[in-house]
């Protein structure tokens, strides 16, 4: 057999996400590139590793065994690399973070300088919806999670980073067609674009609409903030969105904030970890980095 470490990593990611599309997004690869590597990996085995039904990927029993072995091999490779770095006196290891989808506009700015200063640190970051992020946290699968809504219970510790403001946004033509700014009527008559169930943004939106007694006649549901933004840009409807992900569109005028009673809604971007967690040396160093540099990062990138 002649499979590569890259093929093992791609196969493990497909096994974890059960999707070629999601695996390609998390690996920052194109879907065809992932598909080709999976095909090349599969060609080295006489038994099938996966089955594709519709758009979903299912592991065969043999595939599940190979996925487990692949994970062990990858862990051993990391261990070898880390031992070498330890002898060179570097901070080494993996920093594992799970991030709610809108958090992808926030967390990179709190990581860049830390990773530059510590070349021996490898980042493992999963971007998903709120429910999946909470699941990662509860299972102790990550060092930290970045969320914008508080987590119930007393089993967690927190470090607030910066505020998260959500506004009703749409195409400029929406305001032109509504000169009296009767925004409650506006919100009742136009399609509202929602995130999927399990999304923190959706939970905020539904709570707001219920509190304001706004009934939405038409609904569109999409699976990511980027998809929602593109739909709003295309004029399919409007949505309540975190401003952090649409700053460029607001500046160039392709989107506008629609005045609405009770908005903006403000939450907090918060780094969360399990109470009493025994942090690795990398996680301890990262937490100290954020504590020492948080204000400078906010001033540089978010004000």
């Amino acid at each position: 057999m002649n499979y590569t470490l890259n093929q093992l990593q791609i196969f493990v990611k497909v096994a974890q996400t059960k999707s070629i599309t999601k695996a390609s997004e998390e690996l920052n690869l194109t879907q065809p590139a992932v598909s080709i590597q999976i095909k090349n990996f599969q060609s080295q085995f006489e038994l099938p590793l996966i089955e594709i039904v519709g758009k979903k990927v299912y592991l065969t029993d043999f595939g599940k065994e190979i996925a487990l072995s692949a994970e062990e091999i990858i862990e051993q490779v990391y261990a070898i690399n880390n031992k070498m770095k330890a002898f060179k006196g570097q901070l080494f290891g993996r920093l594992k973070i799970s991030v709610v989808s809108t958090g992808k506009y926030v967390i990179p700015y709190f990581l860049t300088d830390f990773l530059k200063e510590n070349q021996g640190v490898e980042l493992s970051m999963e971007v998903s919806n709120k429910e999946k992020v909470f699941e990662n946290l509860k299972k102790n699968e990550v060092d930290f999670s970045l969320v914008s809504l508080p987590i119930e219970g007393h089993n967690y510790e927190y470090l607030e980073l910066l505020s998260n403001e959500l506004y009703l946004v749409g195409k400029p033509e929406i305001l032109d067609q509504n000169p009296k700014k009767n925004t409650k009527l506006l919100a009742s008559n136009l399609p509202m674009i929602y995130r999927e169930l399990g999304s923190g943004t959706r939970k905020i939106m539904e709570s707001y609409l219920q509190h304001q007694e706004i009934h939405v006649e038409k609904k569109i549901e999409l699976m990511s903030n980027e998809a929602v933004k593109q739909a709003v840009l295309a004029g399919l409807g409007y949505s309540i969105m975190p401003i952090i992900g649409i700053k460029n569109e607001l500046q160039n005028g392709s989107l506008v904030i629609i005045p609405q009673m009770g908005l903006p809604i403000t939450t907090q971007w918060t780094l969360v970890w399990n109470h009493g967690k025994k942090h690795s040396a990398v996680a301890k160093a990262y937490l100290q980095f954020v504590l020492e540099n948080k204000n400078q990062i906010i001033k540089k990138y978010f004000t």
Side-chain angles (χ1 to χ4, degrees), residues 208 212 260-265:
Y208 168 78
Q212 294 292 326
Q260 183 76 21
M261 184 179 297
L263 294 179
I265 300 166

Side-chain angles (χ1 to χ4, degrees), residues 35-243:
S35 297
I36 289 170
Q37 290 301 322
I38 291 296
K39 182 178 179 180
N40 292 340
F41 187 58
Q42 172 66 79
S43 68
Q44 302 179 69
F45 299 93
E46 294 180 6
L47 297 175
L49 299 171
I50 63 174
E51 295 176 350
I52 299 178
V53 180
K55 294 184 179 180
K56 291 187 177 181
V57 173
Y58 297 90
L59 293 181
T60 63
D61 290 340
F62 179 65
K64 292 176 183 177
E65 293 295 326
I66 296 301
L68 289 173
S69 296
E71 289 180 4
E72 292 175 0
I73 292 170
I74 293 168
E75 287 295 333
Q76 288 300 314
V77 171
Y78 282 132
I80 292 170
N81 291 337
N82 290 342
K83 286 178 182 178
M84 178 187 69
K85 292 166 184 172
F87 274 96
K88 294 170 69 175
Q90 298 177 4
L91 182 66
F92 66 90
R94 272 192 289 177
L95 179 64
K96 299 178 182 179
I97 300 179
S98 60
V99 182
V100 294
S101 58
T102 313
K104 66 186 177 186
Y105 300 111
V106 176
I107 197 65
Y109 298 101
F110 290 89
L111 285 166
T112 301
D113 287 343
F114 176 77
L115 295 175
K116 285 181 180 178
E117 294 169 8
N118 299 282
Q119 297 292 320
V121 174
E122 297 180 357
L123 175 66
S124 175
M125 185 170 74
E126 180 174 351
V127 180
S128 188
N129 64 28
K130 175 180 66 70
E131 288 188 356
K132 184 64 168 67
V133 168
F134 286 2
E135 183 181 341
N136 292 147
L137 199 59
K138 290 176 182 177
K139 291 182 177 179
N140 200 32
E141 295 175 339
V142 294
D143 298 307
F144 305 102
S145 291
L146 182 69
V147 299
S148 60
L149 289 175
I151 301 177
E152 296 179 0
H154 304 285
N155 298 322
Y156 306 100
E157 297 182 51
Y158 307 85
L159 174 61
E160 290 187 350
L161 300 184
L162 71 157
S163 61
N164 177 43
E165 295 183 337
L166 295 94
Y167 290 84
L168 183 69
V169 297
K171 296 278 286 181
E173 297 89 299
I174 292 177
L175 289 182
D176 295 338
Q177 295 166 5
N178 191 56
K180 294 183 179 180
K181 306 296 187 296
N182 187 346
T183 54
K184 195 157 188 176
L185 178 62
L186 175 74
S188 299
N189 292 342
L190 288 175
M192 173 73 87
I193 302 175
Y194 287 76
R195 282 286 308 280
E196 79 283 5
L197 288 172
S199 160
T201 300
R202 176 163 179 156
K203 184 176 181 180
I204 292 171
M205 181 187 299
E206 290 179 333
S207 177
Y208 168 78
L209 294 172
Q210 182 179 13
H211 182 73
Q212 294 292 326
E213 298 182 348
I214 298 174
H215 177 67
V216 177
E217 295 289 344
K218 297 181 180 179
K219 299 180 181 179
I220 299 173
E221 182 177 299
L222 299 174
M223 297 298 291
S224 71
N225 279 296
E226 188 62 29
V228 172
K229 181 169 73 174
Q230 294 303 321
V232 175
L233 283 167
L236 288 179
Y238 65 101
S239 188
I240 294 176
M241 301 184 67
I243 197 171

Side-chain angles (χ1 to χ4, degrees), residues 241-280:
M241 301 184 67
I243 197 171
I244 197 166
I246 54 172
K247 286 186 176 180
N248 290 338
E249 289 74 18
L250 292 174
Q251 288 175 357
N252 65 31
S254 55
L255 290 179
V256 294
I257 292 174
I258 304 169
Q260 183 76 21
M261 184 179 297
L263 294 179
I265 300 166
T266 302
T267 61
Q268 290 291 323
W269 286 113
T270 305
L271 208 59
V272 186
W273 61 96
N274 288 317
H275 178 71
K277 181 176 176 62
K278 294 182 179 179
H279 286 304
S280 66

